[in-house]
Amino acid sequence: MDSAYLWAYAIMQVPWAYISERWLGAKWTVTVGTALIAVSSIVYAFNVESVALSIIARALIGVGAAAIWVPVTPVLARWFAPQKKGLAMGITATGGAVGQFLGGALMPILITGPFIIFGLSTIQSGFLWSAIPGIIMTLIIPFFLKNEPEEMGLTSLDTSQEEMDKQSQDEPTFTYILKHSFYPYLLCIVYAGYLGALYYVWTWFAAYLQQEYGIDVRAAGMLWAISSTLPALLSQPLGGYLSDRLGRKRVASGALLLTTLLASTFAIFAAITVPLWITITLVFVFAIFVNMWVVIWPFTNTMFPTKAGAPIGGLMNTAAQLVGASAPIISGYFIDATSSYIPVFLLGALCAFIGFIASLFLKEERVI
C-alpha cells in the first residue's frame, strides 16, 4: 500500500508538468492535485478493510501529490531572480517539512486515542483527519497562487511571457533535450541519491527505534516526526541560501558526501547498539544534509530553458521516486533475511555515494 502511493507519485511527474505548462497553469494544477489528495483520503478512510480499494486510493493520493511540487518550480523561477532561486525553493520546501512533522507527530496520537469521526475506527478516523488540510488548501489555493508576475502587473524575473513567446521557436524542446543531452539523466541520478538515502533510512526509522530500544509507537512516531522534519526547517532554506552564495554544485556535492558518511555511521551505530541519545543526535545531523535535496531543483531552470524545466524536473523526480518506491520493498526483504537494519542503512549510504559521484559532473550554466 505504501509503494502504491510512491509508484503513482513517480509516474505522474512528467504528465502533470506538461498539463501545468501547456494547459492548466500551476494554480489550477496544484488545486486539482490537492483536491484529489483530499477526496482519495476520504475514500481510503471508508475502505481500509479492502486491500484492493486501499491500494487504489493510496495510488490516487500519489497522483494528486505529484501535481504539487513540479508545477511550482517554474513559477518560482519566474517570480524570483536567478541569484535567489535556491533560497526561494528552500523556503517553499519547508512547508512540506511542517506538514510531515504535524502528520508524523499527530497521526500516532489520533489512531491510538479516542479521536473518532462518524463512529468509524480510530484508523479510519485518522485518514479522515488527514483529509481536512487538503480540503482547506483546495479552497484557498486559487486565490493565492499566481502562475506568473504578469498576472499582477509585475515583470517576470526569469523571462517575460512575451519574450518566451518570441523564443519558443528557437528554444530546444523537452524531447530535443532528452535526445541530445545526458544532463537530464545526470540530474536523475543525483536526485535519486538524495531520495534513496532518505527513503532507506526514514521508512524504517520508527520501527528501528521500537525494536532496538523498546519504546512505544507514540514515542517512536514523535521521535521520527521530530528528527525527520525539524532539521529540514533549517537545512532547506539554509541549503538554498548557501547554494546561491557558494555555488549550487559545491553545496549539492558536499551535502551528498556528508549524507554518505552519516548513513554509514548510522549502520555502524546499529551494529554496536549505542545509547538512544547518540542515535537521535546522529539522525538529526543526517536529516540536515539529506534534506538539502532542494538544492538540486534550481538546476532544472539554470541548465535548461524555463519552459522545459518543469518536464525535466518531472523526469528527475520520477526517476528518484522510483528509487524511493523500491526502497520499502527491497529493504523489507533485507530486514526479513538478516533480522537487522544495518544493510538498509548501508543501501542508503550507497545511494548517496552514487549521487555524489554524479553531482561532480553538474554544470551551473545553460548546457543546451
Side-chain angles (χ1 to χ4, degrees), residues 38 40-42 44-46 48 58 61 102-104 106-133:
S40 301
S41 297
I42 295 171
Y44 192 16
F46 285 96
V48 293
R58 284 290 291 164
I61 293 173
L102 293 175
L106 292 177
M107 197 56 67
I109 297 173
L110 293 174
I111 66 175
T112 58
F115 306 98
I116 60 174
I117 306 178
F118 303 136
L120 298 173
S121 68
T122 54
I123 293 287
Q124 291 173 292
S125 297
F127 285 104
L128 285 182
W129 284 112
S130 73
I132 293 175

PDB file of all heavy atoms in Angstrom, residues 38 40-42 44-46 48 58 61 102-104 106-133:
ATOM      1  N   ALA A  38      -7.356  15.018  -1.077  1.00  0.00           N
ATOM      2  CA  ALA A  38      -8.399  15.060  -0.052  1.00  0.00           C
ATOM      3  C   ALA A  38      -9.481  14.020  -0.302  1.00  0.00           C
ATOM      4  O   ALA A  38      -9.858  13.258   0.596  1.00  0.00           O
ATOM      5  CB  ALA A  38      -9.007  16.465   0.009  1.00  0.00           C
ATOM      6  N   SER A  40      -9.332  11.283  -2.169  1.00  0.00           N
ATOM      7  CA  SER A  40      -8.795   9.928  -2.075  1.00  0.00           C
ATOM      8  C   SER A  40      -8.555   9.524  -0.627  1.00  0.00           C
ATOM      9  O   SER A  40      -8.734   8.352  -0.264  1.00  0.00           O
ATOM     10  CB  SER A  40      -7.483   9.829  -2.862  1.00  0.00           C
ATOM     11  OG  SER A  40      -7.685  10.151  -4.214  1.00  0.00           O
ATOM     12  N   SER A  41      -8.178  10.477   0.219  1.00  0.00           N
ATOM     13  CA  SER A  41      -8.008  10.173   1.639  1.00  0.00           C
ATOM     14  C   SER A  41      -9.337   9.783   2.272  1.00  0.00           C
ATOM     15  O   SER A  41      -9.399   8.877   3.109  1.00  0.00           O
ATOM     16  CB  SER A  41      -7.415  11.388   2.369  1.00  0.00           C
ATOM     17  OG  SER A  41      -6.132  11.700   1.887  1.00  0.00           O
ATOM     18  N   ILE A  42     -10.402  10.455   1.864  1.00  0.00           N
ATOM     19  CA  ILE A  42     -11.738  10.120   2.380  1.00  0.00           C
ATOM     20  C   ILE A  42     -12.160   8.731   1.906  1.00  0.00           C
ATOM     21  O   ILE A  42     -12.678   7.915   2.675  1.00  0.00           O
ATOM     22  CB  ILE A  42     -12.759  11.188   1.939  1.00  0.00           C
ATOM     23  CG1 ILE A  42     -12.414  12.532   2.590  1.00  0.00           C
ATOM     24  CG2 ILE A  42     -14.182  10.758   2.300  1.00  0.00           C
ATOM     25  CD1 ILE A  42     -13.214  13.705   2.064  1.00  0.00           C
ATOM     26  N   TYR A  44     -10.177   6.312   1.079  1.00  0.00           N
ATOM     27  CA  TYR A  44      -9.317   5.371   1.809  1.00  0.00           C
ATOM     28  C   TYR A  44      -9.868   5.122   3.207  1.00  0.00           C
ATOM     29  O   TYR A  44      -9.902   3.985   3.693  1.00  0.00           O
ATOM     30  CB  TYR A  44      -7.900   5.953   1.874  1.00  0.00           C
ATOM     31  CG  TYR A  44      -6.834   4.986   2.343  1.00  0.00           C
ATOM     32  CD1 TYR A  44      -7.031   3.623   2.375  1.00  0.00           C
ATOM     33  CD2 TYR A  44      -5.595   5.471   2.743  1.00  0.00           C
ATOM     34  CE1 TYR A  44      -6.033   2.751   2.792  1.00  0.00           C
ATOM     35  CE2 TYR A  44      -4.577   4.617   3.164  1.00  0.00           C
ATOM     36  CZ  TYR A  44      -4.813   3.258   3.197  1.00  0.00           C
ATOM     37  OH  TYR A  44      -3.828   2.405   3.612  1.00  0.00           O
ATOM     38  N   ALA A  45     -10.329   6.180   3.864  1.00  0.00           N
ATOM     39  CA  ALA A  45     -10.833   6.047   5.233  1.00  0.00           C
ATOM     40  C   ALA A  45     -12.009   5.091   5.319  1.00  0.00           C
ATOM     41  O   ALA A  45     -12.143   4.332   6.286  1.00  0.00           O
ATOM     42  CB  ALA A  45     -11.231   7.418   5.771  1.00  0.00           C
ATOM     43  N   PHE A  46     -12.877   5.102   4.317  1.00  0.00           N
ATOM     44  CA  PHE A  46     -14.070   4.265   4.356  1.00  0.00           C
ATOM     45  C   PHE A  46     -13.844   2.876   3.758  1.00  0.00           C
ATOM     46  O   PHE A  46     -14.773   2.063   3.729  1.00  0.00           O
ATOM     47  CB  PHE A  46     -15.216   4.956   3.622  1.00  0.00           C
ATOM     48  CG  PHE A  46     -15.833   6.084   4.404  1.00  0.00           C
ATOM     49  CD1 PHE A  46     -15.445   7.392   4.189  1.00  0.00           C
ATOM     50  CD2 PHE A  46     -16.790   5.824   5.376  1.00  0.00           C
ATOM     51  CE1 PHE A  46     -15.999   8.428   4.921  1.00  0.00           C
ATOM     52  CE2 PHE A  46     -17.355   6.855   6.110  1.00  0.00           C
ATOM     53  CZ  PHE A  46     -16.958   8.164   5.887  1.00  0.00           C
ATOM     54  N   VAL A  48     -10.679   0.908   4.322  1.00  0.00           N
ATOM     55  CA  VAL A  48      -9.420   0.337   4.790  1.00  0.00           C
ATOM     56  C   VAL A  48      -9.487  -1.186   4.911  1.00  0.00           C
ATOM     57  O   VAL A  48      -8.453  -1.859   4.944  1.00  0.00           O
ATOM     58  CB  VAL A  48      -9.002   0.933   6.156  1.00  0.00           C
ATOM     59  CG1 VAL A  48      -8.659   2.394   6.019  1.00  0.00           C
ATOM     60  CG2 VAL A  48     -10.092   0.715   7.197  1.00  0.00           C
ATOM     61  N   ARG A  58      -4.697   4.836  -2.238  1.00  0.00           N
ATOM     62  CA  ARG A  58      -3.338   5.319  -1.953  1.00  0.00           C
ATOM     63  C   ARG A  58      -2.637   5.762  -3.241  1.00  0.00           C
ATOM     64  O   ARG A  58      -1.899   6.740  -3.251  1.00  0.00           O
ATOM     65  CB  ARG A  58      -2.526   4.218  -1.263  1.00  0.00           C
ATOM     66  CG  ARG A  58      -2.863   4.010   0.191  1.00  0.00           C
ATOM     67  CD  ARG A  58      -2.408   5.166   1.036  1.00  0.00           C
ATOM     68  NE  ARG A  58      -0.966   5.251   1.137  1.00  0.00           N
ATOM     69  CZ  ARG A  58      -0.311   6.327   1.550  1.00  0.00           C
ATOM     70  NH1 ARG A  58      -0.958   7.418   1.873  1.00  0.00           N
ATOM     71  NH2 ARG A  58       1.009   6.329   1.631  1.00  0.00           N
ATOM     72  N   ILE A  61      -3.925   9.147  -4.161  1.00  0.00           N
ATOM     73  CA  ILE A  61      -3.299  10.163  -3.324  1.00  0.00           C
ATOM     74  C   ILE A  61      -1.935  10.527  -3.906  1.00  0.00           C
ATOM     75  O   ILE A  61      -1.550  11.701  -3.964  1.00  0.00           O
ATOM     76  CB  ILE A  61      -3.157   9.665  -1.864  1.00  0.00           C
ATOM     77  CG1 ILE A  61      -4.532   9.513  -1.221  1.00  0.00           C
ATOM     78  CG2 ILE A  61      -2.307  10.631  -1.044  1.00  0.00           C
ATOM     79  CD1 ILE A  61      -4.504   8.862   0.155  1.00  0.00           C
ATOM     80  N   LEU A 102       3.743  17.572  11.411  1.00  0.00           N
ATOM     81  CA  LEU A 102       2.423  17.527  12.033  1.00  0.00           C
ATOM     82  C   LEU A 102       1.767  16.168  11.833  1.00  0.00           C
ATOM     83  O   LEU A 102       1.171  15.601  12.750  1.00  0.00           O
ATOM     84  CB  LEU A 102       1.538  18.638  11.463  1.00  0.00           C
ATOM     85  CG  LEU A 102       1.962  20.070  11.803  1.00  0.00           C
ATOM     86  CD1 LEU A 102       1.079  21.077  11.078  1.00  0.00           C
ATOM     87  CD2 LEU A 102       1.917  20.299  13.303  1.00  0.00           C
ATOM     88  N   GLY A 103       1.881  15.633  10.592  1.00  0.00           N
ATOM     89  CA  GLY A 103       1.294  14.315  10.333  1.00  0.00           C
ATOM     90  C   GLY A 103       1.978  13.215  11.121  1.00  0.00           C
ATOM     91  O   GLY A 103       1.318  12.369  11.739  1.00  0.00           O
ATOM     92  N   GLY A 104       3.313  13.223  11.123  1.00  0.00           N
ATOM     93  CA  GLY A 104       4.053  12.184  11.830  1.00  0.00           C
ATOM     94  C   GLY A 104       3.854  12.231  13.331  1.00  0.00           C
ATOM     95  O   GLY A 104       3.833  11.200  14.002  1.00  0.00           O
ATOM     96  N   LEU A 106       1.136  13.797  14.963  1.00  0.00           N
ATOM     97  CA  LEU A 106      -0.258  13.700  15.387  1.00  0.00           C
ATOM     98  C   LEU A 106      -0.906  12.368  15.052  1.00  0.00           C
ATOM     99  O   LEU A 106      -1.774  11.892  15.792  1.00  0.00           O
ATOM    100  CB  LEU A 106      -1.071  14.834  14.738  1.00  0.00           C
ATOM    101  CG  LEU A 106      -0.758  16.257  15.209  1.00  0.00           C
ATOM    102  CD1 LEU A 106      -1.589  17.263  14.415  1.00  0.00           C
ATOM    103  CD2 LEU A 106      -1.051  16.400  16.697  1.00  0.00           C
ATOM    104  N   MET A 107      -0.512  11.745  13.919  1.00  0.00           N
ATOM    105  CA  MET A 107      -1.213  10.541  13.493  1.00  0.00           C
ATOM    106  C   MET A 107      -1.131   9.400  14.510  1.00  0.00           C
ATOM    107  O   MET A 107      -2.143   8.748  14.777  1.00  0.00           O
ATOM    108  CB  MET A 107      -0.703  10.086  12.126  1.00  0.00           C
ATOM    109  CG  MET A 107      -1.636   9.096  11.432  1.00  0.00           C
ATOM    110  SD  MET A 107      -3.320   9.720  11.238  1.00  0.00           S
ATOM    111  CE  MET A 107      -3.066  11.049  10.079  1.00  0.00           C
ATOM    112  N   PRO A 108       0.041   9.117  15.124  1.00  0.00           N
ATOM    113  CA  PRO A 108       0.055   8.066  16.146  1.00  0.00           C
ATOM    114  C   PRO A 108      -0.893   8.356  17.311  1.00  0.00           C
ATOM    115  O   PRO A 108      -1.468   7.435  17.902  1.00  0.00           O
ATOM    116  CB  PRO A 108       1.518   8.052  16.622  1.00  0.00           C
ATOM    117  CG  PRO A 108       2.278   8.582  15.466  1.00  0.00           C
ATOM    118  CD  PRO A 108       1.399   9.631  14.867  1.00  0.00           C
ATOM    119  N   ILE A 109      -1.062   9.637  17.637  1.00  0.00           N
ATOM    120  CA  ILE A 109      -1.989  10.015  18.713  1.00  0.00           C
ATOM    121  C   ILE A 109      -3.432   9.817  18.262  1.00  0.00           C
ATOM    122  O   ILE A 109      -4.264   9.263  18.992  1.00  0.00           O
ATOM    123  CB  ILE A 109      -1.751  11.481  19.129  1.00  0.00           C
ATOM    124  CG1 ILE A 109      -0.338  11.646  19.693  1.00  0.00           C
ATOM    125  CG2 ILE A 109      -2.789  11.940  20.148  1.00  0.00           C
ATOM    126  CD1 ILE A 109       0.042  13.085  19.984  1.00  0.00           C
ATOM    127  N   LEU A 110      -3.729  10.232  17.029  1.00  0.00           N
ATOM    128  CA  LEU A 110      -5.100  10.142  16.518  1.00  0.00           C
ATOM    129  C   LEU A 110      -5.562   8.696  16.351  1.00  0.00           C
ATOM    130  O   LEU A 110      -6.734   8.387  16.584  1.00  0.00           O
ATOM    131  CB  LEU A 110      -5.212  10.877  15.181  1.00  0.00           C
ATOM    132  CG  LEU A 110      -5.044  12.405  15.236  1.00  0.00           C
ATOM    133  CD1 LEU A 110      -5.027  12.985  13.827  1.00  0.00           C
ATOM    134  CD2 LEU A 110      -6.171  13.035  16.042  1.00  0.00           C
ATOM    135  N   ILE A 111      -4.641   7.814  15.943  1.00  0.00           N
ATOM    136  CA  ILE A 111      -5.066   6.425  15.675  1.00  0.00           C
ATOM    137  C   ILE A 111      -4.958   5.525  16.897  1.00  0.00           C
ATOM    138  O   ILE A 111      -5.297   4.346  16.822  1.00  0.00           O
ATOM    139  CB  ILE A 111      -4.264   5.813  14.509  1.00  0.00           C
ATOM    140  CG1 ILE A 111      -2.785   5.649  14.874  1.00  0.00           C
ATOM    141  CG2 ILE A 111      -4.431   6.635  13.247  1.00  0.00           C
ATOM    142  CD1 ILE A 111      -1.975   4.952  13.814  1.00  0.00           C
ATOM    143  N   THR A 112      -4.500   6.064  18.019  1.00  0.00           N
ATOM    144  CA  THR A 112      -4.460   5.254  19.245  1.00  0.00           C
ATOM    145  C   THR A 112      -5.293   5.875  20.355  1.00  0.00           C
ATOM    146  O   THR A 112      -5.324   5.355  21.468  1.00  0.00           O
ATOM    147  CB  THR A 112      -3.008   5.096  19.747  1.00  0.00           C
ATOM    148  OG1 THR A 112      -2.439   6.392  19.981  1.00  0.00           O
ATOM    149  CG2 THR A 112      -2.175   4.336  18.748  1.00  0.00           C
ATOM    150  N   GLY A 113      -5.980   6.980  20.056  1.00  0.00           N
ATOM    151  CA  GLY A 113      -6.763   7.664  21.072  1.00  0.00           C
ATOM    152  C   GLY A 113      -8.244   7.652  20.748  1.00  0.00           C
ATOM    153  O   GLY A 113      -8.715   6.910  19.886  1.00  0.00           O
ATOM    154  N   PRO A 114      -9.031   8.492  21.443  1.00  0.00           N
ATOM    155  CA  PRO A 114     -10.491   8.498  21.294  1.00  0.00           C
ATOM    156  C   PRO A 114     -11.003   9.439  20.201  1.00  0.00           C
ATOM    157  O   PRO A 114     -12.183   9.761  20.177  1.00  0.00           O
ATOM    158  CB  PRO A 114     -10.946   8.994  22.672  1.00  0.00           C
ATOM    159  CG  PRO A 114      -9.871   9.937  23.094  1.00  0.00           C
ATOM    160  CD  PRO A 114      -8.584   9.380  22.535  1.00  0.00           C
ATOM    161  N   PHE A 115     -10.129   9.858  19.283  1.00  0.00           N
ATOM    162  CA  PHE A 115     -10.499  10.889  18.313  1.00  0.00           C
ATOM    163  C   PHE A 115     -11.164  10.259  17.090  1.00  0.00           C
ATOM    164  O   PHE A 115     -10.569  10.164  16.012  1.00  0.00           O
ATOM    165  CB  PHE A 115      -9.267  11.689  17.899  1.00  0.00           C
ATOM    166  CG  PHE A 115      -8.513  12.251  19.056  1.00  0.00           C
ATOM    167  CD1 PHE A 115      -7.385  11.600  19.541  1.00  0.00           C
ATOM    168  CD2 PHE A 115      -8.940  13.419  19.668  1.00  0.00           C
ATOM    169  CE1 PHE A 115      -6.679  12.119  20.609  1.00  0.00           C
ATOM    170  CE2 PHE A 115      -8.240  13.941  20.747  1.00  0.00           C
ATOM    171  CZ  PHE A 115      -7.112  13.289  21.220  1.00  0.00           C
ATOM    172  N   ILE A 116     -12.392   9.812  17.232  1.00  0.00           N
ATOM    173  CA  ILE A 116     -13.083   9.127  16.145  1.00  0.00           C
ATOM    174  C   ILE A 116     -14.098  10.062  15.487  1.00  0.00           C
ATOM    175  O   ILE A 116     -14.594  11.003  16.090  1.00  0.00           O
ATOM    176  CB  ILE A 116     -13.779   7.840  16.633  1.00  0.00           C
ATOM    177  CG1 ILE A 116     -14.814   8.158  17.714  1.00  0.00           C
ATOM    178  CG2 ILE A 116     -12.757   6.850  17.156  1.00  0.00           C
ATOM    179  CD1 ILE A 116     -15.635   6.956  18.127  1.00  0.00           C
ATOM    180  N   ILE A 117     -14.383   9.798  14.213  1.00  0.00           N
ATOM    181  CA  ILE A 117     -15.344  10.586  13.438  1.00  0.00           C
ATOM    182  C   ILE A 117     -16.376   9.631  12.848  1.00  0.00           C
ATOM    183  O   ILE A 117     -16.028   8.568  12.321  1.00  0.00           O
ATOM    184  CB  ILE A 117     -14.658  11.352  12.296  1.00  0.00           C
ATOM    185  CG1 ILE A 117     -13.499  12.203  12.834  1.00  0.00           C
ATOM    186  CG2 ILE A 117     -15.652  12.261  11.575  1.00  0.00           C
ATOM    187  CD1 ILE A 117     -12.740  12.945  11.745  1.00  0.00           C
ATOM    188  N   PHE A 118     -17.669  10.010  12.927  1.00  0.00           N
ATOM    189  CA  PHE A 118     -18.771   9.234  12.318  1.00  0.00           C
ATOM    190  C   PHE A 118     -18.827   7.801  12.838  1.00  0.00           C
ATOM    191  O   PHE A 118     -19.283   6.898  12.128  1.00  0.00           O
ATOM    192  CB  PHE A 118     -18.657   9.220  10.791  1.00  0.00           C
ATOM    193  CG  PHE A 118     -18.634  10.588  10.163  1.00  0.00           C
ATOM    194  CD1 PHE A 118     -17.735  10.887   9.166  1.00  0.00           C
ATOM    195  CD2 PHE A 118     -19.519  11.589  10.580  1.00  0.00           C
ATOM    196  CE1 PHE A 118     -17.696  12.146   8.574  1.00  0.00           C
ATOM    197  CE2 PHE A 118     -19.485  12.841  10.001  1.00  0.00           C
ATOM    198  CZ  PHE A 118     -18.578  13.132   8.999  1.00  0.00           C
ATOM    199  N   GLY A 119     -18.323   7.566  14.032  1.00  0.00           N
ATOM    200  CA  GLY A 119     -18.362   6.223  14.592  1.00  0.00           C
ATOM    201  C   GLY A 119     -17.415   5.238  13.948  1.00  0.00           C
ATOM    202  O   GLY A 119     -17.516   4.029  14.186  1.00  0.00           O
ATOM    203  N   LEU A 120     -16.475   5.721  13.137  1.00  0.00           N
ATOM    204  CA  LEU A 120     -15.516   4.844  12.476  1.00  0.00           C
ATOM    205  C   LEU A 120     -14.419   4.424  13.448  1.00  0.00           C
ATOM    206  O   LEU A 120     -14.316   4.950  14.557  1.00  0.00           O
ATOM    207  CB  LEU A 120     -14.898   5.549  11.272  1.00  0.00           C
ATOM    208  CG  LEU A 120     -15.866   5.960  10.159  1.00  0.00           C
ATOM    209  CD1 LEU A 120     -15.148   6.805   9.122  1.00  0.00           C
ATOM    210  CD2 LEU A 120     -16.488   4.735   9.499  1.00  0.00           C
ATOM    211  N   SER A 121     -13.596   3.490  13.028  1.00  0.00           N
ATOM    212  CA  SER A 121     -12.467   3.084  13.860  1.00  0.00           C
ATOM    213  C   SER A 121     -11.454   4.228  13.935  1.00  0.00           C
ATOM    214  O   SER A 121     -11.511   5.176  13.163  1.00  0.00           O
ATOM    215  CB  SER A 121     -11.801   1.839  13.276  1.00  0.00           C
ATOM    216  OG  SER A 121     -11.158   2.159  12.044  1.00  0.00           O
ATOM    217  N   THR A 122     -10.523   4.123  14.875  1.00  0.00           N
ATOM    218  CA  THR A 122      -9.521   5.176  15.015  1.00  0.00           C
ATOM    219  C   THR A 122      -8.628   5.264  13.779  1.00  0.00           C
ATOM    220  O   THR A 122      -8.217   6.353  13.384  1.00  0.00           O
ATOM    221  CB  THR A 122      -8.661   4.929  16.264  1.00  0.00           C
ATOM    222  OG1 THR A 122      -8.116   3.599  16.211  1.00  0.00           O
ATOM    223  CG2 THR A 122      -9.480   5.081  17.528  1.00  0.00           C
ATOM    224  N   ILE A 123      -8.317   4.105  13.173  1.00  0.00           N
ATOM    225  CA  ILE A 123      -7.506   4.112  11.950  1.00  0.00           C
ATOM    226  C   ILE A 123      -8.229   4.862  10.840  1.00  0.00           C
ATOM    227  O   ILE A 123      -7.667   5.737  10.169  1.00  0.00           O
ATOM    228  CB  ILE A 123      -7.190   2.676  11.484  1.00  0.00           C
ATOM    229  CG1 ILE A 123      -6.272   1.973  12.481  1.00  0.00           C
ATOM    230  CG2 ILE A 123      -6.565   2.695  10.092  1.00  0.00           C
ATOM    231  CD1 ILE A 123      -4.848   2.476  12.462  1.00  0.00           C
ATOM    232  N   GLN A 124      -9.517   4.540  10.645  1.00  0.00           N
ATOM    233  CA  GLN A 124     -10.296   5.203   9.602  1.00  0.00           C
ATOM    234  C   GLN A 124     -10.447   6.700   9.887  1.00  0.00           C
ATOM    235  O   GLN A 124     -10.329   7.526   8.990  1.00  0.00           O
ATOM    236  CB  GLN A 124     -11.675   4.548   9.493  1.00  0.00           C
ATOM    237  CG  GLN A 124     -11.633   3.129   8.942  1.00  0.00           C
ATOM    238  CD  GLN A 124     -12.994   2.465   9.010  1.00  0.00           C
ATOM    239  OE1 GLN A 124     -13.496   2.180  10.095  1.00  0.00           O
ATOM    240  NE2 GLN A 124     -13.589   2.226   7.862  1.00  0.00           N
ATOM    241  N   SER A 125     -10.700   7.025  11.142  1.00  0.00           N
ATOM    242  CA  SER A 125     -10.847   8.433  11.516  1.00  0.00           C
ATOM    243  C   SER A 125      -9.552   9.197  11.264  1.00  0.00           C
ATOM    244  O   SER A 125      -9.581  10.374  10.880  1.00  0.00           O
ATOM    245  CB  SER A 125     -11.238   8.548  12.994  1.00  0.00           C
ATOM    246  OG  SER A 125     -12.489   7.940  13.232  1.00  0.00           O
ATOM    247  N   GLY A 126      -8.413   8.537  11.467  1.00  0.00           N
ATOM    248  CA  GLY A 126      -7.136   9.181  11.225  1.00  0.00           C
ATOM    249  C   GLY A 126      -7.004   9.649   9.792  1.00  0.00           C
ATOM    250  O   GLY A 126      -6.512  10.761   9.529  1.00  0.00           O
ATOM    251  N   PHE A 127      -7.460   8.839   8.838  1.00  0.00           N
ATOM    252  CA  PHE A 127      -7.366   9.248   7.438  1.00  0.00           C
ATOM    253  C   PHE A 127      -8.369  10.344   7.096  1.00  0.00           C
ATOM    254  O   PHE A 127      -8.119  11.168   6.225  1.00  0.00           O
ATOM    255  CB  PHE A 127      -7.546   8.033   6.527  1.00  0.00           C
ATOM    256  CG  PHE A 127      -6.340   7.149   6.507  1.00  0.00           C
ATOM    257  CD1 PHE A 127      -6.326   5.946   7.197  1.00  0.00           C
ATOM    258  CD2 PHE A 127      -5.202   7.531   5.834  1.00  0.00           C
ATOM    259  CE1 PHE A 127      -5.205   5.137   7.212  1.00  0.00           C
ATOM    260  CE2 PHE A 127      -4.068   6.735   5.840  1.00  0.00           C
ATOM    261  CZ  PHE A 127      -4.078   5.529   6.529  1.00  0.00           C
ATOM    262  N   LEU A 128      -9.495  10.367   7.792  1.00  0.00           N
ATOM    263  CA  LEU A 128     -10.421  11.484   7.599  1.00  0.00           C
ATOM    264  C   LEU A 128      -9.802  12.783   8.118  1.00  0.00           C
ATOM    265  O   LEU A 128      -9.918  13.834   7.488  1.00  0.00           O
ATOM    266  CB  LEU A 128     -11.746  11.205   8.307  1.00  0.00           C
ATOM    267  CG  LEU A 128     -12.677  10.187   7.636  1.00  0.00           C
ATOM    268  CD1 LEU A 128     -13.964  10.053   8.440  1.00  0.00           C
ATOM    269  CD2 LEU A 128     -13.000  10.601   6.205  1.00  0.00           C
ATOM    270  N   TRP A 129      -9.150  12.715   9.268  1.00  0.00           N
ATOM    271  CA  TRP A 129      -8.461  13.891   9.785  1.00  0.00           C
ATOM    272  C   TRP A 129      -7.408  14.380   8.794  1.00  0.00           C
ATOM    273  O   TRP A 129      -7.232  15.587   8.601  1.00  0.00           O
ATOM    274  CB  TRP A 129      -7.784  13.566  11.125  1.00  0.00           C
ATOM    275  CG  TRP A 129      -8.701  13.484  12.308  1.00  0.00           C
ATOM    276  CD1 TRP A 129      -9.024  12.371  13.028  1.00  0.00           C
ATOM    277  CD2 TRP A 129      -9.421  14.562  12.916  1.00  0.00           C
ATOM    278  NE1 TRP A 129      -9.900  12.677  14.044  1.00  0.00           N
ATOM    279  CE2 TRP A 129     -10.151  14.018  13.998  1.00  0.00           C
ATOM    280  CE3 TRP A 129      -9.510  15.927  12.658  1.00  0.00           C
ATOM    281  CZ2 TRP A 129     -10.963  14.805  14.810  1.00  0.00           C
ATOM    282  CZ3 TRP A 129     -10.319  16.711  13.473  1.00  0.00           C
ATOM    283  CH2 TRP A 129     -11.039  16.152  14.533  1.00  0.00           C
ATOM    284  N   SER A 130      -6.720  13.439   8.147  1.00  0.00           N
ATOM    285  CA  SER A 130      -5.652  13.830   7.216  1.00  0.00           C
ATOM    286  C   SER A 130      -6.199  14.510   5.970  1.00  0.00           C
ATOM    287  O   SER A 130      -5.455  15.197   5.258  1.00  0.00           O
ATOM    288  CB  SER A 130      -4.828  12.597   6.819  1.00  0.00           C
ATOM    289  OG  SER A 130      -5.557  11.759   5.936  1.00  0.00           O
ATOM    290  N   ALA A 131      -7.495  14.320   5.677  1.00  0.00           N
ATOM    291  CA  ALA A 131      -8.095  14.952   4.500  1.00  0.00           C
ATOM    292  C   ALA A 131      -8.434  16.418   4.735  1.00  0.00           C
ATOM    293  O   ALA A 131      -8.568  17.196   3.784  1.00  0.00           O
ATOM    294  CB  ALA A 131      -9.359  14.195   4.081  1.00  0.00           C
ATOM    295  N   ILE A 132      -8.568  16.818   5.996  1.00  0.00           N
ATOM    296  CA  ILE A 132      -9.018  18.175   6.313  1.00  0.00           C
ATOM    297  C   ILE A 132      -8.069  19.253   5.772  1.00  0.00           C
ATOM    298  O   ILE A 132      -8.524  20.226   5.152  1.00  0.00           O
ATOM    299  CB  ILE A 132      -9.244  18.328   7.828  1.00  0.00           C
ATOM    300  CG1 ILE A 132     -10.431  17.449   8.256  1.00  0.00           C
ATOM    301  CG2 ILE A 132      -9.477  19.789   8.211  1.00  0.00           C
ATOM    302  CD1 ILE A 132     -10.682  17.423   9.749  1.00  0.00           C
ATOM    303  N   PRO A 133      -6.733  19.132   5.977  1.00  0.00           N
ATOM    304  CA  PRO A 133      -5.850  20.159   5.399  1.00  0.00           C
ATOM    305  C   PRO A 133      -5.988  20.276   3.880  1.00  0.00           C
ATOM    306  O   PRO A 133      -5.916  21.380   3.330  1.00  0.00           O
ATOM    307  CB  PRO A 133      -4.449  19.687   5.801  1.00  0.00           C
ATOM    308  CG  PRO A 133      -4.663  18.821   6.993  1.00  0.00           C
ATOM    309  CD  PRO A 133      -5.971  18.145   6.766  1.00  0.00           C
TER     310      PRO A 133
END
